[in-house]
Amino acid sequence: MKSPLPLPELFDEDEFSFTFKKPRRLNDAFHRRRPPKLMHPLNRSINASMANAISFTEDNRAELSAIYNRHKPETYYEQCFEQLTKVGEGSFGEVFKVRSRTDGRLYAVKKSKTYFRSTQCRELCLEEVRRYEQFSDHENCVKLYQAWEQDDRLYMQMELCRENLEVYAREQQKLPDERIWSIMLDLLLALKSLHDRNLIHLDIKLDNILVTDDGTCKLADFGIVFDLSNSNHRYATEGDSRYMAPELMEGTYTKAADIFSLGIATLELASNLELPANGRLWQRLRSGQPLPENLACNISQPLKDIIHRMINPAPGERPTVDMLLKHPIVQKLYEERRRRRVFERSKSYLYRKLSSLGGFFLLAVMWLVACFRLQHRKESSPRR
């Protein structure tokens, strides 16, 4: 379902009204957009009640848990997971924090709300699984462990993250520059993995960025990823209008649309702005004019400069992912991160080596002590 497109609006340049983010009350996220009512399928498949693993990998070795019993009335989800709490909800799915009965670990399971209404609807839903599998090994994309279908609905078992960036930003209120640049680096690395494959995400927003326990940001929700190699733009879908690039309203789809959305998300983080879905400020942010001074006064100049470049109304004038990764601040941060990881790996390797050597020396000492005691026992034993 496409977001409603904002309407153009005439305005005076100096007249803007906007609000800043406030800490969200518990469960506000679930009521932000009401989901559609659950619709039953027109034609149920005979085998729909049995769980079937879904995978598009080359080896296609997706298997269901061994504890699943097809003959029991409970679903695979009910048999294999203990549902703990709901952690997210959108128009098409719900996300639950669960504990696996197979390995005892915590995961997130995304469950589609609607049944497959047709073969084409099913294929579109399963396409998200294909995309997740493509990026599942990237450190800045959410990892998919397993997907299955049952009762004409799709389930995806994914890594559990602490919260999404929208909740994180509301809790923090004001993020330091270094943190914002670090978040941008995480997302640029994730976007590069898509853009290098000629894919565009089309739904970059704080709700679709998850934060792990160690603070790493990971891109999620690949439901409307579009393949630019497919020239038929009729199947492309716009994401949230608050983050939408202006050219998408004219049906122009390029990688630059993701850069624009990331620029708006960066502005949101840097200013603590409650993004407009339409109206005067929405138009101003897509006009190419400088940011309103009362909005930009608390943003550092380097951030203002890069945000302004990323939200340029002309797609061809926006920097690419590779160009942004070469920005001096981003590049410096990336090099520091690489050196830190090399150091951590070296420290871990040295620790393992010392541990193994320590174990060897301990065995050698124990062997020498045993030999000494045996020799002492022989010498001290009375001779007949």
Side-chain angles (χ1 to χ4, degrees):
M1 181 185 298
K2 295 186 178 182
S3 300
L5 299 180
L7 298 174
E9 197 174 325
L10 298 176
F11 57 90
D12 293 328
E13 195 170 305
D14 297 328
E15 295 181 4
F16 293 99
S17 62
F18 56 86
T19 58
F20 294 107
K21 290 182 182 294
K22 298 178 181 179
R24 180 173 294 174
R25 298 187 305 273
L26 188 63
N27 291 331
D28 272 4
F30 302 148
H31 299 289
R32 186 170 187 171
R33 289 177 181 160
R34 297 305 302 167
K37 292 183 179 179
L38 191 63
M39 300 295 291
H40 291 277
L42 298 176
N43 296 301
R44 294 291 307 278
S45 168
I46 296 177
N47 296 322
S49 61
M50 292 192 298
N52 293 293
I54 302 295
S55 178
F56 295 91
T57 56
E58 292 182 2
D59 53 16
N60 196 20
R61 293 180 181 176
E63 295 181 357
L64 298 175
S65 172
I67 69 174
Y68 174 54
N69 187 338
R70 295 178 181 270
H71 303 291
K72 288 185 176 181
E74 294 83 12
T75 64
Y76 181 83
Y77 178 73
E78 293 167 335
Q79 290 186 41
C80 300
F81 299 95
E82 175 191 359
Q83 182 172 297
L84 301 177
T85 184
K86 181 188 286 188
V87 294
E89 181 174 346
S91 299
F92 302 103
E94 299 172 297
V95 182
F96 296 92
K97 177 181 178 180
V98 301
R99 186 180 301 279
S100 170
R101 302 186 197 276
T102 304
D103 59 20
R105 297 179 180 176
L106 296 174
Y107 295 96
V109 170
K110 182 178 180 181
K111 178 169 60 173
S112 61
K113 287 180 177 176
T114 57
Y115 293 99
F116 302 142
R117 297 185 179 90
S118 64
T119 301
Q120 183 181 13
C121 174
R122 175 179 176 271
E123 289 176 353
L124 288 174
C125 289
L126 298 191
E127 186 64 24
E128 185 174 7
V129 178
R130 184 198 300 273
R131 296 306 184 199
Y132 262 105
E133 287 183 332
Q134 281 184 282
F135 312 116
S136 199
D137 291 332
H138 193 282
E139 62 181 336
N140 294 113
C141 295
V142 173
K143 184 174 182 62
L144 173 70
Y145 290 96
Q146 184 186 45
W148 70 96
E149 58 179 333
Q150 188 170 17
D151 293 329
D152 293 316
R153 294 163 81 175
L154 176 65
Y155 298 78
M156 292 191 292
Q157 176 189 350
M158 299 176 290
E159 69 172 306
L160 179 67
C161 295
R162 186 176 65 197
E163 58 198 353
N164 66 39
L165 197 53
E166 167 73 18
V167 174
Y168 178 81
R170 286 184 183 276
E171 291 174 347
Q172 300 295 320
Q173 288 292 293
K174 176 60 179 174
L175 294 173
D177 271 23
E178 185 178 357
R179 180 64 179 135
I180 296 172
W181 286 104
S182 179
I183 291 171
M184 186 190 298
L185 173 57
D186 284 340
L187 298 177
L188 286 172
L189 293 173
L191 272 182
K192 180 173 172 58
S193 69
L194 274 78
H195 289 188
D196 285 351
R197 294 177 170 88
N198 215 27
L199 303 172
I200 49 179
H201 189 277
L202 287 178
D203 204 13
I204 304 292
K205 59 181 181 179
L206 300 195
D207 285 325
N208 288 340
I209 300 163
L210 303 184
V211 184
T212 64
D213 288 333
D214 65 1
T216 302
C217 287
K218 298 197 172 194
L219 189 58
D221 202 338
F222 301 99
I224 61 173
V225 167
F226 182 68
D227 189 346
L228 289 170
S229 302
N230 178 1
S231 59
N232 191 351
H233 290 179
R234 185 164 59 91
Y235 296 108
T237 304
E238 301 92 8
D240 195 315
S241 65
R242 296 172 300 163
Y243 301 82
M244 188 170 63
E247 68 272 12
L248 294 182
M249 298 179 66
E250 302 172 356
T252 302
Y253 294 86
T254 66
K255 298 173 185 177
D258 283 343
I259 299 300
F260 182 93
S261 298
L262 180 56
I264 291 291
T266 305
L267 170 63
E268 184 179 11
L269 290 173
S271 64
N272 196 36
L273 174 68
E274 193 74 66
L275 285 177
N278 49 44
R280 295 174 178 177
L281 182 57
W282 190 95
Q283 296 289 338
R284 175 65 178 262
L285 295 177
R286 289 155 180 80
S287 67
Q289 301 178 59
L291 297 173
E293 187 55 37
N294 52 353
L295 176 62
C297 59
N298 293 323
I299 305 176
S300 67
Q301 192 59 47
L303 270 177
K304 276 194 287 190
D305 291 342
I306 199 167
I307 290 170
H308 187 70
R309 292 174 59 202
M310 293 170 75
I311 63 174
N312 191 306
E317 297 299 318
R318 294 173 205 150
T320 64
V321 165
D322 289 330
M323 290 168 64
L324 289 168
L325 285 171
K326 292 178 182 178
H327 186 283
I329 296 178
V330 176
Q331 194 169 33
K332 180 182 177 182
L333 186 61
Y334 184 55
E335 290 300 322
E336 289 176 354
R337 189 180 290 185
R338 286 182 60 184
R339 284 196 296 270
R340 194 181 311 120
R341 287 178 180 172
V342 169
F343 174 75
E344 290 296 330
R345 283 197 296 266
S346 300
K347 187 171 68 173
S348 177
Y349 175 79
L350 183 61
Y351 176 79
R352 289 196 304 270
K353 283 294 183 182
L354 289 175
S355 297
S356 61
L357 287 173
F360 171 77
F361 284 125
L362 179 61
L363 287 175
V365 170
M366 290 175 65
W367 181 77
L368 288 173
V369 168
C371 290
F372 175 79
R373 286 180 176 176
L374 180 62
Q375 183 66 27
H376 179 72
R377 199 176 294 125
K378 287 181 178 179
E379 292 177 352
S380 59
S381 60
R383 296 180 180 178
R384 294 180 181 179

